Amino acid sequence: MRRGHRHRLLRPLVAFAAVTGIFATATPNADSTPLEGTSAASATTTVFYYTKTKNWSATYLHYAPDGGSWTTVPGVRMETACTDWVKETVDLGSAAGLRATFTDGRGTWDNNGGNNYALGTGTVTVKDGVVAHSDPCADTGTGTGNRATVYYSTATSGWSTANLHYAPTGGSWTTVPGVGMESACTGWWKRTVDLGPATTLKAAFNNGNGVWDNNNGADYALGSGTTTVKDRTVTAGAADPCAAQAPDAQAPTTPTGVTASATGTSVVVSWNPATDDTAVTKYQLTRTGGTEGTVVTDVGSTVWSDTGLAEKTTYTYTVKAVDAAGNTSPASSAAPVTTGEKAPAPAAGTPLGTDPRKDPIYFVLTARFYDGDTSNDRGGSQDVKSGNAANNDPMFRGDFKGLVDKLDYIKALGFSAVWITPVVLNRSDYDYHGYHGYDFYTVDPRLESAGASYQDLINAAHAKGMKIYQDVVYNHSSRWGAKGLFTPTVYGVRDTQWSWYYDEKNAGFDYDGLTVEPKSGKSYYNGDLWSTAEPSGNTCLNWGKPTGGKSPEGYTLYNCQWPSPTSGMFPKAYYHQCWIGNWEGEDSRSCWLHEDLADFDTENATVQNYLIGAYDKYIDMGVDGFRVDTAVHIPRVTWNRRFLPAIHDRVTQRFGADAAKNFFVFGEVGAFVNDKWNRGSVNHSAQFFTWKERKEYSADDEKAAIEQYDYEEQLGTGNQPASANAFLNGNSYHTPDRSQFSGMNIIDMRMHMNFGDAQNAYNNGRDSDDSVNDATYNVVYVDSHDYGPNKSSTRYSGGTDAWAENMALMWTFRGIPTLYYGSEIEFQKGKQIDCGPTCPLAGTGRAYYGDHLAGGVTASDFGTVASASGEVATTLAQPLVKHLQRLNRIRRAIPALQSGQYSTDGITGSMAFKRRYTTGSTDSFALVTVTGGASYTGIPNGTYTDAVTGDVKTVSGGTLSVAAPGKGNLRVYVLNGPGRIGADGPYLK
């Protein structure tokens, strides 16, 4: 049920700490002075103010002690303290601090952006808006003893000020936080101190706001003379790191391998990386041709997508590499390309509208399946931390173009329906899976390409007779809210500790997941939500107050640092305000499941209309059904009152009643147990969601949800409706009674949980079928992007023979067989399915599958390959693929295996059953046994032909016996059947 959510916003900092080794604790070593500063009982504050960047001829301090009155404007004139600093000592009386602003006395003010400065007691520095605690004019190293000049690098930490806290050997520590260091050059701070007779010192560094680098608690051992400290590396007798360096005059190498390819009026240009003695910082891409003339674009990667060009026009591209010093390589060889015709907007599709039980389902994580367009690949903020960057494997890699390109592969396997992960624009640190929806009305551009939009995919699938089932989420949005409904614009503190991570607000930039925010030039934008001071309109409780906790690096954590249900950031009308406590309790439907999943109040009419309107858009595009994520976390009464009728009505309105009847909705009701009812709770059991309500509740949806929960729980499992829709009446098919069907079918969680063994799955599935409205519509799979059997966190690894047996059962027993991408070759078997950004995707069950699909493939029919070349030909030759193809061909040829009811009456055998489907002129009756032998009594007389071997048996006394075919094999004896279907393979023979 959860997908890639096991991470927090702060975790990118963990990797940073591991590399640099700094910020290990919040205080210096035990023998250092405690981190207290001047006692809060002190009656004075000495304020130091930095003047270098102001260029004022005079500086005044205008202040008010806490609880007291302001000085008369312009305040008191500050006196010179030392180079670039002025100071003033203020008598606070009994106050514990003061509010302050600064002015030049001529009308120019520094009032902290209109918020004034809140200063405490003791020694306080204010430098370019940053408040710290140190004496910048203390010991300047002019004594007669030994001296130490210490350079400290903040290039990695991004500190905006630095203090040196030290003790000469045999001497005392300076008062915390130590003496202020001076800016020496970019990324370096300097301080010269007197050691007296000592020749060494112990030292730690801090930013004046409680963040320390104390060498992982060991403090630094430094000597006299010049020493540099950078990323915990001490260099004694070092050269001045700020001394003038010889200018970089070496240009990067010329980019090679420049290629340009056109799709319609879009061009993708790519090239090999250039090299440089320091580093290549960007590329200059030059385009000539067309009416635009010469266009030069700076590019940060080695791929560029050029869109909106003229039709049937030749363009030429060259590339230069540029380093940090501005040295530019010669231009690359030219790459000419001619555009085609502008692709018209694709017409809306029409759902195929056939019985969904006819269509086996292939389930893909679109972003991990096949990369048809590298220009929309994105790694996001976790690219390096996750290890994906090292594998050249961005999380967003596969796309709709890749899926369109490989529809014939899926068809060649025999599948006629494709379930794809959510398509809406996502927004989180790790959102490739699609379950962190942000703009529900917009398709994520990281999935689309020129000529391969979502509409193009739907149309291309339909043209091949294949359906598209779209994964949809009604339960939650991303923690960034839902665009068009509510998006929070006020979060937590963006101080000097966090400024490197949180972008500044950029009012002119709109997040789209694809475009790097130009103000920072490094992220896909999280800047709407943080501020250096409390913004107007803030609703978050205790904004800016420290929580008392620290990040793993020692950074101060503040209230409202990121969103949560209890913070007050989200309006109660649209979002629930609690964390989940009991997964089988009512609060599992009305609380947040995880910090990345902001829980909608789905009983609110505005929320309902927002979601209904969004999914109407995709219905109108012609999708064939919805897989409903986290269905159990919304009350059934809300589904039955609002969302399910809205889906049915929209499909009926656009495409007619028959299409609405076959628009396939199947819900994920996460019941991860091995019993019929989920821990005895009907409200949390999958089959419960297939039924309509059986009484009226309050008109108010919020009240109705509670009333329904209480009513059904009190009735209990023994008083739930029962159904015979999946069962034969003797040997006869009967018209199912669907009058109490809710409109939602289900994923067969009970079979899924028990598929460690096919026999176990079969027994458990049969046991639940009388409580499902119609189990012939159950979606059946072994494993998925969430779990393996028995809630395993790894992809199924029971072995090839066991997989063959599982498939033989799924493709002949009631329900709709479904396969998670790659299982046809046991892809990533035994690998952890999901570890979030704590490990590379390449080592998980969500690895990129495209390497196995390289080359070309054409399907002549479902389950039949016309031609294949390259690696995909090797993939299609694997034993389970051959098994799967024949199973699909057999199932497609026998209606009883698609839509039939079943019975085990009069049958002996471990996995043996009979199935029948009767409609119009079709009457299909089949006897099935998987792996083991079976005997059938009381069956109709006639001629039965095995679809696997072609063996013919004539029944005259109502009895038929079948020898055991062997593990993974089966027999399908069909009354008046079509005969042998397909050729013998590794299992079916």
Side-chain angles (χ1 to χ4, degrees):
M1 183 169 57
R2 300 279 57 80
R3 302 158 188 84
H5 302 145
R6 303 293 189 263
H7 67 284
R8 294 178 64 88
L9 181 64
L10 299 179
R11 288 193 179 169
L13 305 178
V14 178
F16 167 70
V19 171
T20 64
I22 65 174
F23 310 143
T25 61
T27 60
N29 201 10
D31 60 352
S32 307
T33 304
L35 234 182
E36 296 176 351
T38 304
S39 169
S42 173
T44 62
T45 296
T46 299
V47 181
F48 286 85
Y49 187 72
Y50 188 65
T51 61
K52 185 174 183 179
T53 53
K54 298 299 182 184
N55 199 29
W56 291 349
S57 59
T59 305
Y60 294 82
L61 171 64
H62 179 48
Y63 72 94
D66 292 349
S69 301
W70 285 88
T71 55
T72 302
V73 173
V76 294
R77 184 165 181 166
M78 305 182 75
E79 63 183 33
T80 299
C82 57
T83 303
D84 300 325
W85 290 92
V86 293
K87 72 175 182 179
E88 180 65 28
T89 300
V90 176
D91 187 351
L92 297 178
S94 60
L98 68 153
R99 292 163 292 160
T101 64
F102 303 88
T103 176
D104 65 352
R106 299 181 177 181
T108 301
W109 288 84
D110 172 8
N111 60 6
N112 193 23
N115 295 290
N116 301 326
Y117 289 96
L119 308 180
T121 57
T123 301
V124 179
T125 62
V126 180
K127 180 180 180 182
D128 296 335
V130 176
V131 177
H133 299 271
S134 65
D135 182 352
C137 300
D139 175 18
T140 57
T142 58
T144 58
N146 296 316
R147 292 194 294 174
T149 299
V150 181
Y151 286 88
Y152 182 71
S153 172
T154 57
T156 307
S157 66
W159 289 356
S160 56
T161 188
N163 296 297
L164 170 64
H165 179 50
Y166 73 97
T169 301
S172 300
W173 284 87
T174 54
T175 302
V176 171
V179 296
M181 304 184 77
E182 302 167 356
S183 177
C185 59
T186 302
W188 286 97
W189 297 77
K190 172 185 177 182
R191 187 74 194 206
T192 300
V193 296
D194 282 327
L195 301 180
T199 57
T200 58
L201 69 154
K202 290 185 291 183
F205 304 88
N206 65 83
N207 72 347
N209 282 314
V211 180
W212 286 83
D213 171 12
N214 59 10
N215 194 21
N216 275 351
D219 297 325
Y220 289 96
L222 309 180
S224 58
T226 300
T227 304
T228 62
V229 181
K230 182 177 182 180
D231 296 341
R232 290 185 57 215
T233 298
V234 175
T235 304
D240 182 351
C242 297
Q245 301 292 322
D248 178 6
Q250 182 174 329
T253 61
T254 302
T256 60
V258 182
T259 61
S261 60
T263 301
T265 56
S266 297
V267 171
V268 175
V269 187
S270 63
W271 56 93
N272 299 325
T275 59
D276 187 61
D277 59 330
T278 55
V280 174
T281 57
K282 66 179 180 179
Y283 295 90
Q284 286 183 349
L285 181 75
T286 300
R287 183 188 76 209
T288 57
T291 59
E292 305 93 338
T294 300
V295 177
V296 179
T297 305
D298 286 346
V299 181
S301 67
T302 57
V303 178
W304 177 250
S305 181
D306 212 359
T307 59
L309 302 173
E311 294 182 286
K312 299 179 179 178
T313 301
T314 298
Y315 293 91
T316 299
Y317 293 86
T318 58
V319 184
K320 298 177 180 179
V322 184
D323 65 16
N327 299 308
T328 304
S329 75
S332 69
S333 299
V337 65
T338 301
T339 57
E341 294 182 353
K342 183 177 181 180
T350 300
L352 296 184
T354 55
D355 187 336
R357 294 173 296 181
K358 294 182 178 181
D359 302 299
I361 301 169
Y362 191 73
F363 170 36
V364 301
L365 269 71
T366 308
R368 307 302 301 158
F369 186 62
Y370 189 73
D371 193 359
D373 176 5
T374 58
S375 69
N376 58 13
D377 293 358
R378 292 295 183 271
S381 65
Q382 306 297 289
D383 197 33
V384 173
K385 176 182 181 291
S386 64
N388 292 337
N391 292 324
N392 193 26
D393 183 30
M395 60 169 181
F396 265 95
R397 188 171 179 182
D399 45 43
F400 293 146
K401 188 175 189 303
L403 198 46
V404 169
D405 289 348
K406 298 305 176 183
L407 283 175
D408 265 35
Y409 169 77
I410 299 172
K411 186 171 183 175
L413 295 177
F415 293 95
S416 49
V418 186
W419 157 17
I420 60 173
T421 40
V423 305
V424 304
L425 175 60
N426 264 233
R427 190 172 188 181
S428 78
D429 291 331
Y430 214 50
D431 55 1
Y432 65 95
H433 43 66
Y435 297 96
H436 297 170
Y438 171 66
D439 187 347
F440 286 67
Y441 285 76
T442 298
V443 176
D444 201 308
R446 292 169 287 189
L447 298 175
E448 294 196 301
S449 309
S453 66
Y454 185 36
Q455 187 69 70
D456 289 318
L457 169 63
I458 294 168
N459 296 352
H462 287 172
K464 294 181 182 295
M466 302 169 71
K467 295 179 177 178
I468 294 293
Y469 295 150
Q470 177 179 328
D471 211 320
V472 295
V473 184
Y474 286 77
N475 177 67
H476 57 264
S477 73
S478 73
R479 66 180 172 202
W480 302 76
K483 186 177 180 182
L485 177 70
F486 174 79
T487 54
T489 55
V490 176
Y491 279 18
V493 173
R494 182 183 182 272
D495 64 5
T496 55
Q497 303 172 79
W498 298 104
S499 60
W500 69 274
Y501 182 65
Y502 297 150
D503 302 327
E504 293 182 80
K505 183 174 177 62
N506 185 347
F509 182 76
D510 194 21
Y511 169 85
D512 65 6
L514 188 70
T515 307
V516 172
E517 189 273 319
K519 194 171 185 179
S520 70
K522 64 183 180 181
S523 79
Y524 300 99
Y525 199 54
N526 59 9
D528 290 345
L529 311 173
W530 286 273
S531 175
T532 54
E534 183 171 5
S536 60
N538 170 54
T539 60
C540 185
L541 305 175
N542 299 314
W543 191 94
K545 293 184 178 179
T547 64
K550 298 284 185 180
S551 75
E553 302 75 24
Y555 284 18
T556 299
L557 300 182
Y558 301 96
N559 285 292
C560 315
Q561 199 71 34
W562 54 78
S564 75
T566 57
S567 63
M569 297 178 185
F570 290 84
K572 186 176 294 185
Y574 298 159
Y575 284 91
H576 289 132
Q577 308 286 301
C578 52
W579 290 110
I580 188 172
N582 178 7
W583 286 93
E584 275 73 46
E586 199 285 327
D587 64 337
S588 71
R589 309 184 310 171
S590 57
C591 295
W592 287 36
L593 309 178
H594 190 272
E595 65 181 345
D596 276 324
L597 310 176
D599 198 81
F600 285 131
D601 183 348
T602 50
E603 287 64 69
N604 176 277
T606 302
V607 174
Q608 292 168 357
N609 291 337
Y610 174 83
L611 293 168
I612 289 169
Y615 292 124
D616 279 353
K617 168 181 176 175
Y618 305 107
I619 291 172
D620 293 351
M621 293 172 74
V623 296
D624 300 277
F626 287 157
R627 180 269 188 182
V628 181
D629 180 72
T630 50
V632 69
H633 300 295
I634 295 175
R636 186 183 75 178
V637 69
T638 303
W639 285 116
N640 287 344
R641 281 185 174 186
R642 308 301 174 196
F643 297 133
L644 294 172
I647 293 170
H648 182 273
D649 292 349
R650 187 68 171 197
V651 179
T652 302
Q653 173 192 354
R654 292 301 304 269
F655 306 112
D658 286 344
K661 175 184 175 183
N662 289 316
F663 188 90
F664 190 44
V665 178
F666 58 106
E668 178 211 26
V669 181
F672 303 110
V673 293
N674 295 329
D675 51 12
K676 182 171 182 176
W677 297 96
N678 186 3
R679 295 184 175 89
S681 171
V682 296
N683 279 278
H684 297 88
S685 300
Q687 60 267 41
F688 181 75
F689 285 77
T690 65
W691 296 94
K692 287 183 177 179
E693 303 310 323
R694 45 185 168 166
K695 72 181 294 290
E696 292 294 325
Y697 300 104
S698 298
D700 178 81
D701 286 352
E702 204 86 51
K703 293 180 180 178
I706 301 297
E707 291 170 359
Q708 182 235 40
Y709 184 90
D710 292 340
Y711 177 76
E712 295 290 354
E713 289 296 282
Q714 289 169 9
L715 285 177
T717 61
N719 293 297
Q720 295 302 309
S723 170
N725 285 338
F727 306 118
L728 292 172
N729 184 1
N731 291 316
S732 300
Y733 178 86
H734 62 92
T735 302
D737 177 7
R738 305 274 282 171
S739 62
Q740 296 305 306
F741 176 52
S742 66
M744 182 185 291
N745 299 288
I746 54 171
I747 294 170
D748 198 321
M749 282 289 172
R750 192 168 183 201
M751 286 194 74
H752 164 48
M753 284 291 101
N754 286 279
F755 248 122
D757 174 74
Q759 181 72 61
N760 210 29
Y762 172 68
N763 293 340
N764 277 272
R766 289 172 54 204
D767 182 52
S768 293
D769 285 352
D770 64 347
S771 59
V772 181
N773 182 270
D774 191 342
T776 65
Y777 288 85
N778 283 11
V779 170
V780 181
Y781 57 62
V782 173
D783 63 358
S784 74
H785 58 335
D786 288 330
Y787 295 108
N790 296 312
K791 207 175 182 180
S792 166
S793 62
T794 59
R795 287 194 73 159
Y796 182 72
S797 58
T800 310
D801 291 353
W803 252 124
E805 185 177 53
N806 288 341
M807 290 177 179
L809 176 63
M810 287 194 293
W811 261 258
T812 54
F813 189 46
R814 60 95 186 116
I816 302 170
T818 300
L819 198 73
Y820 184 38
Y821 80 100
S823 292
E824 62 271 25
I825 61 170
E826 298 179 83
F827 180 60
Q828 299 296 91
K829 63 181 179 181
K831 296 294 180 64
Q832 185 176 358
I833 293 173
D834 170 36
C835 57
T838 64
C839 69
L841 283 167
T844 72
R846 300 177 179 182
Y848 177 64
Y849 193 56
D851 294 338
H852 297 279
L853 302 178
V857 58
T858 302
S860 56
D861 201 351
F862 292 102
T864 305
V865 179
S867 64
S869 61
E871 187 59 32
V872 71
T874 303
T875 300
L876 288 167
Q878 300 307 302
L880 281 179
V881 171
K882 296 298 185 185
H883 185 56
L884 186 62
Q885 288 173 316
R886 194 173 184 204
L887 283 171
N888 269 317
R889 292 176 65 188
I890 290 172
R891 187 180 190 274
R892 188 168 294 277
I894 303 172
L897 301 185
Q898 302 167 26
S899 308
Q901 296 163 344
Y902 78 96
S903 172
T904 58
D905 292 344
I907 302 174
T908 61
S910 57
M911 286 185 284
F913 45 89
K914 55 188 175 183
R915 298 191 66 185
R916 192 168 203 158
Y917 179 66
T918 306
T919 181
S921 61
T922 299
D923 185 12
S924 177
F925 185 77
L927 307 174
V928 180
T929 184
V930 178
T931 298
S935 62
Y936 304 82
T937 60
I939 60 173
N941 293 331
T943 301
Y944 290 79
T945 306
D946 179 22
V948 177
T949 64
D951 179 51
V952 177
K953 292 184 182 295
T954 300
V955 174
S956 59
T959 301
L960 185 150
S961 295
V962 180
K967 190 175 181 70
N969 202 353
L970 76 156
R971 297 290 180 257
V972 184
Y973 281 90
V974 183
L975 181 62
N976 303 318
R980 178 178 177 177
I981 301 169
D984 285 354
Y987 292 99
L988 296 182
K989 52 190 176 182

